[in-house]
C-alpha cells in the first residue's frame, strides 16, 4: 500500500495544472469506447467507470436496492470472500471505490503499472462475479440503516428529502437513494441480484483513464475488464418534471436553528445559454462571502454562517437550488432577503465589475481541478456523459470569457423566477407559516 501512496503523491505533482489536456478517444477491439490522457512519467494509472442509471433504476417498492448492491461489490467476488478480496487488493497496492448517485454507479480504480493486469483481473471479478453473500448483505444493510436513522434526526437531510419529494413526486428523484428503514429492511438477496443485473451492463458504460498506459494497452484492458458484462440493463427512467410552485413548506422539528432549502426548475446543461447562467449563479450564489447571497444574508445582516445556491444539472431534471440555516427567530428575515435578491438578480443581472471578478475566478480555478490522474479520469467521464466533446477542457475557459453582461441579464430573467421560488423550512421558525 505504501507504493500506491507514493505513486498518488507523484501523480498529484506531475499532473498539476496545465494549459492544455490532450485527450484521446480509444475504441477497444471489442468496441468499448473510452477517453484517455496518457502520462508516462510515473508508473501509475487511474481508471473511472460510470454505469448510467444508478439509484434511479431501483424497482418499485425496492428503494435502496441499488445503493445496497453497490456497497456489496467489494465484499467478496469469485472465490474470495470479503476479507480475501481486501487482502488481495492490498497485496497489489491497488485501490477501488464503488459509489452510487441519482444518475450513475461509479467505479474508481488506481493501480501501479507493474500490477496492472492483476489489479484489473481482481476488479473484473468484482464487476462480473460479485458474491453478494447473505452474511455481507446483512452486515452492510445494518450500516445503511444506521445512516438512514441518523438522517432522520438531521434537519439538513430532512429538508432535502422534503424538497425533493415536492419537486419530483413519484419519480425516483423524489426519494433518497439509500431508501427508507422499511424498504431496506425488506430487501432480499434476490432483490440485490436483480439490482446488479439492472445496472451493471455494457449499454450504459462511460470510461476515462489517465496515467501510464497507451491507447493500445487501454483497449486490451477494456475488453479484459468489461467485455463479459451483459449487453443490456434495465430501461432508464423518463425525464422528471419539476413540480415546485412558489411558496413555503414548514416541517416542524425541535431545534434552535431552522434549515431552509429553496429553489425551482433550472436550466439544461446543453442549453445555449448555460454558460451565462453558470456565470450568473457564481455571482449570485457561489459559496463564500463574496456572492450576492453571502454578502446580503451573511456579511451585512449576520443571519447565517453560510448560504449558497447552485445549478443542479441531473440527467433527467434541472434545478436552481440553495440552502441556508439561521436561528428560529431570524430565519424569516433570511428568507425574505433571499427572495429580494432572487428578484433583483432577475431584474438587474450583474454589473461589469461582478462579471469580471466571476470570470477571473472561474477561469483561474478550473485548471486546478486537474490535480491528479484520478481527477482527470473523473472529469473525462463527466464530459462524456454530458456530451461536451473531446476539446471541452481546452475551450471551456473561452466560453466563460465570452459571456457578456447582456448575456447574463437575458438569461437571469428566465432563470431566476421569484414567483416560483419555494422554501422548505425545517425547524421551529418564528414568523413563518406554510402556504402548502
Amino acid at each position: 500500500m505504501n507504493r500506491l501512496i507514493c505513486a498518488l503523491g507523484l501523480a498529484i505533482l506531475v499532473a498539476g495544472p496545465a494549459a492544455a489536456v490532450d485527450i484521446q478517444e480509444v475504441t477497444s477491439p471489442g468496441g468499448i469506447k473510452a477517453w484517455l490522457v496518457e502520462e508516462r512519467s510515473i508508473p501509475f494509472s487511474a481508471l473511472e467507470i460510470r454505469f448510467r442509471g444508478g439509484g434511479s433504476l431501483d424497482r418499485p417498492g425496492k428503494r435502496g436496492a441499488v445503493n445496497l448492491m453497490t456497497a456489496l461489490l467489494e465484499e467478496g467476488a469469485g472465490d474470495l470472500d470479503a476479507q480475501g478480496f481486501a487482502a488481495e487488493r492490498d497485496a497489489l497496492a491497488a485501490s477501488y471505490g464503488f459509489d452510487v448517485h441519482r444518475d450513475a454507479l461509479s467505479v474508481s480504480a488506481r493501480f501501479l503499472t507493474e500490477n496492472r493486469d492483476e489489479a484489473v483481473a481482481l476488479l473484473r471479478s468484482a464487476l462480473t462475479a460479485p458474491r453478494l453473500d447473505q452474511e455481507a448483505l446483512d452486515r452492510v444493510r445494518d450500516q445503511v440503516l444506521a445512516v438512514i436513522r441518523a438522517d432522520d434526526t438531521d434537519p439538513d437531510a430532512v429538508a432535502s428529502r422534503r424538497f425533493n419529494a415536492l419537486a419530483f413526486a413519484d419519480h425516483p428523484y423524489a426519494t433518497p437513494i439509500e431508501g427508507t428503514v422499511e424498504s431496506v429492511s425488506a430487501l432480499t438477496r434476490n432483490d440485490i441480484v436483480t439490482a446488479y443485473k439492472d445496472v451493471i451492463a455494457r449499454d450504459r458504460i462511460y470510461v476515462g483513464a489517465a496515467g501510464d498506459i497507451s491507447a493500445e494497452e487501454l483497449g486490451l484492458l477494456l475488453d479484459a475488464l468489461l467485455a463479459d458484462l451483459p449487453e443490456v440493463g434495465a430501461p432508464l427512467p423518463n425525464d422528471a418534471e419539476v413540480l415546485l410552485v412558489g411558496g413555503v413548506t414548514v416541517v416542524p422539528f425541535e431545534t434552535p436553528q431552522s434549515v431552509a432549502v429553496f429553489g425551482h426548475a433550472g436550466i439544461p446543461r446543453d442549453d445555449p445559454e448555460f454558460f451565462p447562467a453558470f456565470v450568473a449563479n457564481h455571482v449570485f450564489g457561489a459559496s463564500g462571502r463574496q456572492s450576492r447571497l453571502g454578502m446580503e444574508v451573511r456579511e451585512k445582516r449576520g443571519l447565517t454562517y453560510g448560504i449558497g445556491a447552485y445549478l443542479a444539472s441531473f440527467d433527467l431534471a434541472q434545478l436552481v437550488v440553495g440552502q441556508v440555516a439561521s436561528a428560529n427567530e431570524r430565519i424569516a428575515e433570511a428568507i425574505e432577503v433571499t427572495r429580494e435578491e432572487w428578484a433583483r438578480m432577475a431584474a438587474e443581472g450583474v454589473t461589469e465589475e461582478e462579471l469580471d471578478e466571476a470570470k477571473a475566478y472561474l477561469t483561474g480555478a478550473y485548471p486546478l481541478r486537474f490535480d491528479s490522474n484520478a481527477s482527470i479520469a473523473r472529469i473525462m467521464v463527466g464530459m462524456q456523459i454530458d456530451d461536451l466533446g473531446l476539446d471541452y477542457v481546452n475551450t471551456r475557459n473561452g466560453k466563460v470569457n465570452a459571456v457578456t453582461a447582456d448575456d447574463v441579464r437575458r438569461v437571469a430573467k428566465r432563470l431566476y423566477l421569484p414567483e416560483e421560488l419555494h422554501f422548505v423550512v425545517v425547524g421551529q421558525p418564528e414568523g413563518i407559516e406554510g402556504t402548502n
Side-chain angles (χ1 to χ4, degrees):
M1 186 59 72
N2 287 337
R3 288 176 294 167
L4 179 60
I5 293 171
C6 291
L8 287 173
L10 286 170
I12 290 173
L13 292 173
V14 172
V21 177
D22 182 18
I23 301 176
Q24 306 174 61
E25 185 170 48
V26 175
T27 301
S28 76
I32 301 172
K33 294 186 181 298
W35 287 9
L36 167 67
V37 170
E38 190 173 345
E39 171 52 67
R40 306 308 291 260
S41 60
I42 56 170
F44 165 83
S45 297
L47 186 69
E48 184 78 12
I49 304 167
R50 299 269 174 87
F51 294 91
R52 194 167 208 156
S56 68
L57 292 177
D58 275 328
R59 296 202 173 195
K62 306 296 181 183
R63 195 56 166 152
V66 173
N67 178 68
L68 186 51
M69 178 273 294
T70 304
L72 291 170
L73 288 177
E74 59 179 337
E75 294 289 332
D79 295 333
L80 300 172
D81 62 11
Q83 291 183 336
F85 185 91
E88 185 72 13
R89 177 200 62 210
D90 292 347
L92 292 169
S95 171
Y96 308 125
F98 301 88
D99 202 3
V100 67
H101 311 282
R102 278 187 178 92
D103 295 316
L105 186 155
S106 64
V107 180
S108 306
R110 310 176 195 185
F111 41 79
L112 297 167
T113 303
E114 64 184 277
N115 295 333
R116 179 197 300 153
D117 291 346
E118 296 88 345
V120 169
L122 185 61
L123 178 59
R124 178 185 180 280
S125 70
L127 293 177
T128 62
R131 292 169 63 111
L132 308 176
D133 290 335
Q134 186 67 48
E135 179 182 357
L137 191 161
D138 292 339
R139 172 168 44 80
V140 176
R141 187 207 315 266
D142 287 343
Q143 296 169 0
V144 172
L145 290 172
V147 171
I148 295 172
R149 291 189 176 103
D151 283 346
D152 289 340
T153 65
D154 181 352
D156 295 296
V158 173
S160 293
R161 288 179 185 178
R162 180 61 68 88
F163 184 87
N164 289 334
L166 292 171
F168 300 118
D170 59 354
H171 192 274
Y173 283 177
T175 55
I177 61 173
E178 295 84 5
T180 64
V181 169
E182 294 75 21
S183 67
V184 173
S185 297
L187 292 173
T188 67
R189 184 179 184 278
N190 286 340
D191 295 328
I192 302 305
V193 172
T194 298
Y196 165 77
K197 294 177 180 178
D198 285 346
V199 177
I200 307 294
R202 282 185 55 179
D203 67 331
R204 60 205 57 211
I205 292 177
Y206 298 82
V207 183
D212 183 28
I213 187 168
S214 68
E216 181 179 3
E217 290 167 332
L218 178 59
L220 297 175
L221 182 156
L222 293 172
D223 284 346
L225 179 61
L226 303 170
D228 290 339
L229 291 177
E231 283 290 336
V232 179
L236 297 174
N238 294 325
D239 287 348
E241 181 182 1
V242 179
L243 302 173
L244 292 166
V245 296
V248 178
T249 297
V250 176
V251 181
F253 197 94
E254 290 191 13
T255 174
Q257 179 171 266
S258 291
V259 172
V261 174
F262 52 89
H264 55 56
I267 185 169
R269 183 64 184 79
D270 59 356
D271 190 288
E273 292 192 309
F274 178 81
F275 272 96
F278 176 60
V279 174
N281 182 76
H282 181 82
V283 173
F284 176 71
S287 296
R289 64 184 63 185
Q290 296 307 317
S291 72
R292 289 231 187 129
L293 287 180
M295 182 61 67
E296 297 297 328
V297 181
R298 175 184 174 179
E299 294 300 306
K300 289 185 179 180
R301 295 171 176 83
L303 297 173
T304 183
Y305 287 111
I307 184 172
Y310 62 96
L311 305 180
S313 297
F314 308 130
D315 283 1
L316 306 173
Q318 298 80 38
L319 295 169
V320 186
V321 62
Q323 183 167 332
V324 64
S326 188
N328 285 327
E329 65 272 17
R330 306 200 71 187
I331 189 68
E333 184 181 359
I335 288 174
E336 183 58 31
V337 175
T338 300
R339 279 201 184 102
E340 291 171 357
E341 290 304 312
W342 210 274
R344 183 163 76 95
M345 190 68 184
E348 300 176 6
V350 300
T351 67
E352 290 290 347
E353 182 180 2
E354 287 175 323
L355 180 64
D356 290 343
E357 290 177 355
K359 288 180 179 181
Y361 178 85
L362 292 171
T363 56
Y366 185 62
L368 302 180
R369 298 182 187 180
F370 299 83
D371 61 354
S372 70
N373 289 333
S375 297
I376 294 170
R378 282 195 301 271
I379 290 169
M380 287 192 294
V381 168
M383 289 166 56
Q384 292 174 68
I385 290 176
D386 288 337
D387 196 24
L388 297 179
L390 285 167
D391 64 343
Y392 175 78
V393 169
N394 302 316
T395 62
R396 180 265 195 190
N397 277 357
K399 297 178 190 295
V400 172
N401 281 325
V403 173
T404 67
D406 285 341
D407 293 333
V408 173
R409 279 190 285 271
R410 185 175 60 253
V411 77
K413 292 181 184 301
R414 57 175 284 221
L415 181 63
Y416 295 97
L417 306 173
E419 69 278 6
E420 296 185 13
L421 185 57
H422 192 95
F423 290 82
V424 172
V425 185
V426 176
Q428 297 174 309
E430 297 180 13
I432 297 177
E433 292 185 6
T435 59
N436 298 75

